[in-house]
Amino acid sequence: MRLIESDKTRLRRTAGALIALLCVALIPMISLAAGFGSNRAPEPASFATDLAFYSGAFSTAVTASINPSATMAVLAILGAIENAAVYSPDSAVLCSIADFLNGVPIIREVGKLPIANPYAAVFLTLVAAALIVIHSFAESKIVSEETIDKLDKLVGYICTVSISLLPFVTTEALEADPPGVKGGALAVRAVHFIGKSRENGGPDAGTYILAGITVIAISIFYYCTYSCVDKWEVIVAAIPVKGTSFIWQIIKGFLHIVLMLLQIFAPVVSFIVSIHIAVAGLFLFRILARVSQYYKDIYAYTILRKIFKRNDQVPRIEKHVPRRLRKLYPDMEIAMSVYTFHGIGRLPKRSRVWLIKEGEKTDLVYKRLIRKPYIVSWSELCERHENKPVYLEKCARFLKIRTEDRKIELVMSSRYKPETEMLSALLDLKDYAPVKQEIKESKKLKRRWRRKKEAVETV
């Protein structure tokens, strides 16, 4: 017991230290909106109407959604190189690289950020490396899913949105086109007919509209793409094969490097690739959300509960029950989450269904986004399957409610094992252990009979 308690203490201290580091990293992120650092005085507001900059901001948002901390570290490094004349004026190599990077509008703006210095670059690189190490282990990923990753997601969102607002608080116009993008500024200057340019050089209506569209697109696509990557990592962490999380981190790192190189050397290709990734994130969002919810509830939450709430009683009404279902069943006595495999209408596999008891009725309820919840009475479900006996099977990983032919097959988290008697009485479930033993014995008899038959045929 002392060993277990010491492991808990170490885990909590490690998580607390990493959260503190990310909180410190969040401080410069918040100041991004100000657009100036300690070595730069605020300048009169002006807005550069350059389409290349906004395509670069969108590509940066998609890249950050794949790995926010690593993207921040890379931007800090590129910004430090961009400011080589300030931090390393004697280095001819760094100054020549800075001249090349100055041709990329998004990098030129990143060079004005407070993180564009060697000190922030080193710090953010260490944070990114720490998160990569954490995500390389399945157990660490499961713990960080509910703690560190949420802060990492917020930091990435603040960074990408703030970068798109940088031209509002800087005065230098983005006149140079990046490599591979010729005439990008002319394309944006064509929108000036929407509103006349202000006399003081400030942004006009067209530039505000362009910035607003970019911020909306960044918000939507960043959320969807990050969620897809994060949920996929949960699925990979739940795969019972060692090393899968480490392999995925290598693949993700390679993809991240490719996207960053494209942003520097081929901005047009980078924008096209980012659009495809963002659209794929929109289509895969619901599928990965459904499957990852299954793995988080069945595996991740169960493990976290064993670590932090080992002696607490499992509530019969979960706190995550949707509000719509609470209004539909105001006097619910039981509300537990189960997941489908077969036997409930046309619901896809691993869909979350709520087992709700209120008074004399027991229903299986599937919450839909816009339409009314899909409700199936437990008695009605049994009648559909000719009232065949339904069993409760206790597996090592979960509890399974099933018929012998698997026409009904539902899965529940193993944290509900103390409630097996209540569930058996509520749903009239029989113990599957005798049936399972009988099936094993029949298989043994069949194998013996087959061996005897083969022996007779050989003689």
Side-chain angles (χ1 to χ4, degrees), residues 13-76:
R13 288 177 180 175
T14 304
L18 289 172
I19 291 173
L21 286 175
L22 285 175
C23 285
V24 174
L26 186 62
I27 295 174
M29 301 303 100
I30 296 175
S31 63
L32 290 181
F36 56 88
S38 58
N39 60 338
R40 293 181 184 271
E43 301 172 344
S46 68
F47 185 72
T49 54
D50 194 340
L51 185 60
F53 170 79
Y54 284 103
S55 64
F58 179 82
S59 299
T60 303
V62 174
T63 305
S65 64
I66 295 176
N67 196 331
S69 56
T71 302
M72 288 302 305
V74 173
L75 291 179

Side-chain angles (χ1 to χ4, degrees), residues 287-330:
I287 298 174
L288 292 175
R290 185 183 71 248
V291 177
S292 67
Q293 178 62 46
Y294 165 81
Y295 282 108
K296 282 197 292 186
D297 197 1
I298 298 297
Y299 298 103
Y301 293 160
T302 303
I303 293 173
L304 289 175
R305 187 173 186 83
K306 288 182 179 179
I307 295 174
F308 299 106
K309 298 181 180 180
R310 193 185 195 111
N311 299 322
D312 294 356
Q313 185 177 0
V314 179
R316 293 190 176 184
I317 299 178
E318 293 188 13
K319 63 179 181 179
H320 298 297
V321 178
R323 291 183 180 179
R324 291 177 62 187
L325 301 188
R326 290 184 182 273
K327 292 180 179 179
L328 191 62
Y329 297 88

Side-chain angles (χ1 to χ4, degrees), residues 453-459:
K453 185 178 179 180
E454 291 174 354
V456 171
E457 288 177 355
T458 53
V459 173

Side-chain angles (χ1 to χ4, degrees), residues 381-400:
L381 182 65
C382 293
E383 289 177 2
R384 288 183 189 177
H385 295 83
E386 302 174 354
N387 289 319
K388 293 180 180 179
V390 185
Y391 299 95
L392 179 63
E393 182 180 2
K394 298 178 183 178
C395 305
R397 295 176 295 168
F398 43 68
L399 298 176
K400 185 181 288 187

Side-chain angles (χ1 to χ4, degrees), residues 139-166:
E139 299 82 2
S140 301
K141 171 58 185 176
I142 290 175
V143 175
S144 66
E145 168 68 18
E146 295 300 316
T147 53
I148 302 171
D149 290 354
K150 290 185 177 180
L151 185 58
D152 190 30
K153 176 182 178 181
L154 178 62
V155 169
Y157 177 73
I158 293 175
C159 166
T160 53
V161 172
S162 299
I163 286 176
S164 64
L165 299 177
L166 275 177

